[in-house]
Amino acid sequence: MKKLTSEFSKIKSIYNTGKDLKLSDFLLLIKSAKLKRFNKGDLIMEAGSHSKEVFYFNNGLARMYVIKENGDEVTVGFRRENQVIGSYDTILFERTNQVYIQALEPTTTLSIDYDTIFEIMYKSPVLMKNLYLVFADLLKTTITRLESFVLLTPEERYFDFVKNNPELVKRIHDKHLANFLGITPVSISRIKSRQTA
Amino acid sequence: MKKLTSEFSKIKSIYNTGKDLKLSDFLLLIKSAKLKRFNKGDLIMEAGSHSKEVFYFNNGLARMYVIKENGDEVTVGFRRENQVIGSYDTILFERTNQVYIQALEPTTTLSIDYDTIFEIMYKSPVLMKNLYLVFADLLKTTITRLESFVLLTPEERYFDFVKNNPELVKRIHDKHLANFLGITPVSISRIKSRQTA
DNA sequence: AAAAAAACTTAACAATTGTTAAGTGCTACA
DNA sequence: TGTAGCACTTAACAATTGTTAAGTTTTTTT
């Protein structure tokens, strides 16, 4: 029972549901929740899928990437411990998922199908409000990132990222950071050497 | 009464509320709705404001822009007839608005305070779902725009925009389009001349 | 511990963009 | 109608980035 309670509070914290989640609904969530472990390099999710699985990161780190028509991999985001990830394509756009999620460190996740979450949230305005807040927050992040592309040069974008994510920078490869910032690894190297000079 | 009914259906279409909006709530919305007219060049909203006014464009066209520290204006978006706009800063980020909205054509809007909208939506899960869908849609748009920055070169971004917004391109200045795409007006000129050559 | 693989740096060149400035053309207002 | 202002184009130059490739360092695997 102690374990259940701890899981309950974890679920609550994931979805910011406060005390508006009924125990019966919680049990429904828990019943469908899956604990998964991934090694470094493992794919957590692949393109082509229609899964609406939502992952909560207990620990670890992963990158999201897409593969362009020319075969290039482009990293489009990072997720680390205590963060949540799902496929925008399947959940929001209702189309085939195009994003790969790859563990960059040993990672454990707790996952629940989005439809299950939505079904439960949908019963209560308070829970719907919380789901809405999750999206509002995601929107914030996306707008902020977009602004960095519109307003900053590649070099400024790099320093901005390093300044705002000092701990994350240490855990990821320049290669992945580079195309997350829309530039090449070679260019990152040059930016760094220009700085020290 | 005919006028009220038409306003009612308009409000419904704005917020995709379907038939879940009660007449009493509708009256509350209508009571606070304001019709405004703007001439070309007029500011619809200014930086520094804390207003959570949400504008529906009956007709016309406007651009959103911010002013950078160095004084440069940067166009960050366009809105035209049948579209909705509000301040991300005040509504989402809960901070002072930094975005100017300027009419580029004679424009009429219908506006309602966001808190009023939320108050009414919040009563019903169905309405909350619809509000959530508005955000989901906004998120889609933002993600798509972000992808164009991450995956495309400035030149590709320009042609992509022209292809997807052929009618809008005719109504806006290259100058505004340029910094919306994160490039300079001079560069747009060159891209165009390269194409014809 | 050695070999292989991957990440990072550096260099050279081509291409694009930014910047500044001059010139052309259009629009709007007096 | 003509003048002023604004938008757009073109040109020249500097700076940055992309690309390719070679060399170095680090990490991983055998």
Side-chain angles (χ1 to χ4, degrees):
Chain A
M1 187 58 201
K2 191 185 171 192
K3 195 184 166 194
L4 247 184
T5 309
S6 119
E7 292 293 307
F8 194 12
S9 67
K10 182 165 279 179
I11 293 275
K12 281 185 170 180
S13 78
I14 296 171
Y15 302 109
N16 302 311
T17 55
K19 44 184 157 8
D20 294 284
L21 186 60
K22 288 179 199 160
L23 187 61
S24 59
D25 284 334
F26 162 68
L27 290 173
L28 220 144
L29 282 176
I30 272 296
K31 204 177 68 183
S32 67
K34 290 171 194 158
L35 189 71
K36 295 187 181 181
R37 290 173 195 285
F38 301 93
N39 293 317
K40 186 173 172 177
D42 286 356
L43 286 180
I44 297 174
M45 185 176 265
E46 283 185 72
S49 150
H50 286 268
S51 158
K52 292 190 179 178
E53 212 170 356
V54 175
F55 297 87
Y56 169 78
F57 282 69
N58 284 325
N59 55 56
L61 176 67
R63 72 179 178 114
M64 303 152 69
Y65 67 93
V66 297
I67 296 182
K68 290 208 288 183
E69 291 152 12
N70 63 16
D72 286 357
E73 277 185 15
V74 180
T75 299
V76 295
F78 301 98
R79 288 299 131 94
R80 56 170 178 272
E81 55 281 344
N82 302 320
Q83 294 186 320
V84 172
I85 199 174
S87 164
Y88 305 134
D89 288 317
T90 57
I91 294 173
L92 241 65
F93 293 63
E94 292 183 336
R95 65 187 185 199
T96 307
N97 176 49
Q98 295 185 318
V99 176
Y100 294 81
I101 304 175
Q102 182 187 44
L104 298 178
E105 297 175 359
T107 296
T108 61
T109 64
L110 203 57
S111 64
I112 302 180
D113 190 77
Y114 178 77
D115 289 336
T116 306
I117 297 167
F118 190 86
E119 206 177 298
I120 289 167
M121 300 296 201
Y122 190 54
K123 291 180 192 166
S124 141
V126 177
L127 295 181
M128 270 313 282
K129 181 186 174 186
N130 284 304
L131 193 55
Y132 150 94
L133 287 176
V134 170
F135 277 86
D137 197 65
L138 189 55
L139 186 55
K140 263 199 233 180
T141 309
T142 311
I143 288 175
T144 303
R145 182 156 141 73
L146 181 54
E147 277 177 355
S148 81
F149 275 87
V150 177
L151 302 175
L152 307 179
T153 65
E155 179 168 335
E156 290 168 333
R157 209 149 59 235
Y158 171 76
F159 287 123
D160 195 58
F161 186 90
V162 171
K163 198 176 73 183
N164 294 321
N165 305 276
E167 65 322 309
L168 188 58
V169 168
K170 294 174 197 153
R171 295 163 70 184
I172 60 179
H173 285 150
D174 281 357
K175 182 184 159 184
H176 295 145
L177 176 56
N179 53 45
F180 176 72
L181 297 175
I183 52 186
T184 61
V186 175
S187 202
I188 286 237
S189 256
R190 281 187 295 223
I191 288 169
K192 284 197 287 187
S193 71
R194 266 202 304 268
Q195 177 69 350
T196 30
Chain B
M1 188 56 200
K2 191 185 169 190
K3 195 182 166 195
L4 247 185
T5 309
S6 118
E7 291 294 308
F8 194 10
S9 67
K10 182 165 280 178
I11 293 276
K12 281 184 168 181
S13 78
I14 296 171
Y15 302 109
N16 301 311
T17 54
K19 43 185 157 9
D20 294 285
L21 187 61
K22 289 179 199 160
L23 187 61
S24 59
D25 284 335
F26 162 68
L27 290 173
L28 221 143
L29 283 175
I30 271 298
K31 204 177 69 183
S32 66
K34 291 170 193 158
L35 190 70
K36 296 187 180 180
R37 290 172 194 284
F38 301 93
N39 293 318
K40 187 172 171 175
D42 286 356
L43 286 179
I44 297 173
M45 184 177 265
E46 282 185 73
S49 151
H50 285 268
S51 158
K52 292 190 180 181
E53 211 170 356
V54 175
F55 298 86
Y56 169 79
F57 282 68
N58 284 325
N59 55 57
L61 176 68
R63 72 179 178 114
M64 303 151 69
Y65 67 92
V66 297
I67 296 183
K68 290 207 290 184
E69 292 151 11
N70 63 16
D72 286 356
E73 278 186 14
V74 180
T75 300
V76 295
F78 301 98
R79 288 299 131 96
R80 56 170 180 273
E81 56 281 344
N82 302 320
Q83 294 187 323
V84 172
I85 199 175
S87 164
Y88 304 133
D89 288 316
T90 57
I91 294 173
L92 239 66
F93 292 62
E94 292 182 336
R95 65 187 185 199
T96 306
N97 176 49
Q98 295 185 318
V99 176
Y100 294 81
I101 305 175
Q102 181 188 42
L104 298 178
E105 298 175 0
T107 297
T108 61
T109 63
L110 202 59
S111 64
I112 302 179
D113 190 78
Y114 178 77
D115 290 336
T116 307
I117 297 168
F118 190 85
E119 207 176 296
I120 289 168
M121 300 297 201
Y122 190 53
K123 291 180 192 166
S124 141
V126 177
L127 295 180
M128 269 314 282
K129 181 185 174 186
N130 284 305
L131 192 56
Y132 150 93
L133 287 176
V134 170
F135 276 85
D137 197 66
L138 189 56
L139 185 57
K140 263 199 231 182
T141 309
T142 311
I143 288 175
T144 304
R145 182 155 141 73
L146 181 55
E147 278 178 355
S148 82
F149 274 87
V150 177
L151 302 175
L152 306 179
T153 64
E155 179 168 336
E156 290 168 333
R157 209 150 59 235
Y158 170 76
F159 287 123
D160 196 59
F161 185 90
V162 171
K163 199 174 73 183
N164 294 320
N165 305 277
E167 64 323 309
L168 189 57
V169 169
K170 294 173 197 155
R171 294 164 68 184
I172 60 180
H173 285 151
D174 280 358
K175 183 184 158 186
H176 296 145
L177 175 55
N179 53 44
F180 177 71
L181 296 175
I183 52 186
T184 60
V186 175
S187 203
I188 287 239
S189 256
R190 281 188 294 224
I191 288 169
K192 285 197 287 189
S193 70
R194 265 203 304 268
Q195 177 69 350
T196 31

Coordinates of all heavy atoms in Angstrom, one line a residue, chain A residues 68, chain B residues 147-158 160:
Chain A
K68 N 15.2 13.4 -42.0 CA 14.8 14.1 -43.2 C 14.8 13.3 -44.4 O 15.4 12.2 -44.4 CB 15.8 15.3 -43.4 CG 15.6 16.4 -42.3 CD 16.0 17.8 -42.9 CE 17.5 17.9 -43.1 NZ 17.9 19.3 -43.5
Chain B
E147 N 9.6 24.1 -36.9 CA 10.3 23.1 -37.8 C 10.8 23.8 -39.0 O 11.9 23.4 -39.5 CB 9.2 22.0 -38.2 CG 9.1 21.0 -37.2 CD 8.0 19.9 -37.6 OE1 7.4 20.1 -38.6 OE2 7.9 18.9 -36.9
S148 N 10.1 24.8 -39.5 CA 10.6 25.5 -40.7 C 12.0 26.2 -40.5 O 12.8 26.3 -41.4 CB 9.6 26.4 -41.3 OG 9.6 27.7 -40.6
F149 N 12.2 26.6 -39.2 CA 13.5 27.2 -38.9 C 14.6 26.2 -38.7 O 15.7 26.4 -39.0 CB 13.3 28.1 -37.6 CG 12.8 29.5 -37.9 CD1 11.5 29.7 -38.0 CD2 13.7 30.5 -38.1 CE1 11.0 31.0 -38.3 CE2 13.3 31.8 -38.4 CZ 11.9 32.0 -38.5
V150 N 14.2 25.1 -38.1 CA 15.2 24.0 -37.8 C 15.6 23.3 -39.0 O 16.7 23.0 -39.2 CB 14.7 23.0 -36.7 CG1 15.7 21.9 -36.5 CG2 14.3 23.8 -35.4
L151 N 14.6 23.0 -39.9 CA 14.9 22.1 -41.0 C 15.2 22.8 -42.3 O 15.8 22.2 -43.2 CB 13.7 21.1 -41.2 CG 13.3 20.3 -40.0 CD1 12.0 19.5 -40.4 CD2 14.4 19.3 -39.7
L152 N 14.8 24.0 -42.4 CA 15.0 24.7 -43.7 C 16.0 25.8 -43.7 O 16.3 26.4 -42.7 CB 13.6 25.3 -44.2 CG 12.5 24.3 -44.3 CD1 11.2 25.1 -44.7 CD2 12.8 23.1 -45.2
T153 N 16.6 26.1 -44.8 CA 17.5 27.2 -45.0 C 16.6 28.5 -45.2 O 15.4 28.3 -45.5 CB 18.4 27.1 -46.2 OG1 17.6 27.1 -47.4 CG2 19.2 25.8 -46.2
P154 N 17.2 29.7 -45.0 CA 16.4 30.9 -45.2 C 15.7 30.9 -46.6 O 14.5 31.2 -46.7 CB 17.4 32.0 -45.1 CG 18.4 31.5 -44.2 CD 18.5 30.0 -44.5
E155 N 16.4 30.5 -47.6 CA 15.8 30.5 -48.9 C 14.6 29.5 -49.0 O 13.6 29.8 -49.5 CB 16.9 30.1 -50.0 CG 16.3 30.0 -51.4 CD 17.4 30.0 -52.4 OE1 18.6 30.4 -52.1 OE2 17.1 29.5 -53.5
E156 N 14.8 28.3 -48.5 CA 13.8 27.3 -48.5 C 12.6 27.8 -47.7 O 11.4 27.5 -48.1 CB 14.3 26.0 -47.9 CG 15.3 25.2 -48.8 CD 16.0 24.1 -48.1 OE1 16.1 24.1 -46.8 OE2 16.4 23.1 -48.8
R157 N 12.9 28.4 -46.6 CA 11.8 29.0 -45.7 C 11.0 30.0 -46.5 O 9.7 30.0 -46.4 CB 12.4 29.6 -44.5 CG 11.6 29.6 -43.3 CD 12.5 29.5 -42.0 NE 13.4 30.6 -41.8 CZ 14.7 30.5 -41.7 NH1 15.3 29.3 -41.6 NH2 15.5 31.5 -41.5
Y158 N 11.6 30.8 -47.3 CA 10.9 31.8 -48.0 C 10.0 31.1 -49.1 O 8.8 31.5 -49.1 CB 11.9 32.7 -48.8 CG 11.2 33.7 -49.8 CD1 10.5 34.8 -49.3 CD2 11.3 33.4 -51.1 CE1 9.8 35.6 -50.3 CE2 10.6 34.2 -52.1 CZ 9.9 35.3 -51.6 OH 9.3 36.1 -52.5
D160 N 8.8 28.1 -49.1 CA 7.8 27.4 -48.4 C 6.7 28.3 -48.0 O 5.5 27.9 -48.1 CB 8.5 26.8 -47.1 CG 7.7 25.7 -46.5 OD1 7.4 24.7 -47.2 OD2 7.3 25.8 -45.3

